[in-house]
Amino acid sequence: MARDSEVAPERGGIRSVLTMGSLVSASGNENVRYMFLAGALCRARGEDHRPLLRGELAPEMRDLHPVLAAAYHKLKERGAGFEVVLVSCDEDRPSFERFHRTMPWPAVPFGDLQCKKRLSERFQVEGIPRLVVLAPDGEVVHADAADLVHRYGGGAFPFTAARVAELEADDERKYASQTLEKLFSIVDGRGYVNGGKEQVPISSLVGKTVGLYFSAHRCAPCIKFTAKLAAIYSNLKGKAEDFEIVYIPMDKEEDGYLQSCSDMPWLALPYDGAPSRELARYFNVQEIPMLVVVGPDGKTVTRDGRNLVNLYLDMAFPFTEEQIRLLQEMEDEDAKGYPQSLRHSGHRHDLNIVSDKSGGGPYICCECDEQGLGWAYQCIACGYEIHLRCGRNAEGGSAGTG
Ligand SMILES: [Zn+2]
Ligand SMILES: [Zn+2]
């Protein structure tokens, strides 16, 4: 029992974390289950804290609080014992008030800087939004449940490891029995996709490798990737591969959707937010563009189609693990023809060749801005990495003595 004093801060209940009486429109509910840390002005900062994010956040991922509010109302109706508290990091009172007015839950008062500072230190908040979930005894149940709320809404409650395991097992069962027709009838029920002026029945896609392309018109990374994907699509079509792509619109407006359709040579899910959102949730689409590849048997081959296209272009087809392993073996062979070190015009230090076995890993090429994996030329001190081919292609690059 002597050990109790060591863990006392975690055992002090919610009151040790928050002084309930001081909340703006406090309900006095001791059963705090969520703590929502966010701010109107610094939401952009929250989007920046995912270091590997190279696309745009999918529209549904952009704002946590509408999704959380929907879950909140449902859970309140069910009588689940919980509360959400907004801990805003807005820099001025009007922004805070505007932001808080859009939410159904209480907030730490704007002026209570001490409380906000204490909370953000205690929960080591670096990026927002952040959703810390606390048990009634004040213990942290989940350090950041934002993704769970996006994915499962109120179904994620009470956010315990056991609940998360249950949800994941449900997903696995769904994925294991997945077929193309199920995928589209789950979300649509109409059984067709748009292809130019005609409607194409889903049944005609069965048995093909199908790319589900989550993208939006007003999204710079999407525009760039669409162009690349279109070239690959036409190559594969030229080789008469059994391949099709279906655009899953993440557009907020129909105008954008129509624009996208006219830019894309492939099929499109009809414009109607709900089915696309349902598919995005099912495949856990967090950023766009995203390319999910479904195989001839209707099962998911990969959710990483975008990286595979960036890395291997049309050679990635049919995107299977076996194909990727083959390509990696070819790359290993290919790398033997490159010098061990290199002086590259884009960097002031010598670059050394690395593979994922010798300190390499996924990276963004500093020369062409595209994804790289495995082999690279690297300056480890500066974190500078480029593709082997980008080292070779660049003007002024010269082979060192390796
Ligand atoms: Zn490159
Ligand atoms: Zn360097």
Side-chain angles (χ1 to χ4, degrees), residues 365-370 386-387 389-390:
C365 174
C366 295
E367 179 70 28
C368 69
D369 242 13
E370 295 290 354
I386 57 172
H387 294 116
R389 61 170 186 268
C390 288

Side-chain angles (χ1 to χ4, degrees), residues 50 52-62 212-226 247-252 260 264 276 279-281 283-292 303 306 310:
R50 299 164 195 247
L52 271 177
L53 194 70
R54 290 173 309 114
E56 278 185 10
L57 277 177
E60 296 309 304
M61 298 299 291
R62 242 165 255 164
L212 305 177
Y213 182 39
F214 297 84
S215 171
H217 180 59
R218 269 179 245 285
C219 152
C222 297
I223 293 166
K224 199 172 159 202
F225 186 72
T226 297
Y247 172 43
I248 314 295
M250 299 283 102
D251 299 278
K252 289 255 179 191
S260 291
M264 296 176 183
S276 304
L279 272 178
R281 201 167 14 241
F283 285 112
N284 195 18
V285 173
Q286 301 200 352
E287 60 165 289
I288 53 173
M290 176 156 162
L291 181 67
V292 174
R303 294 170 62 253
R306 176 181 172 199
N310 277 332

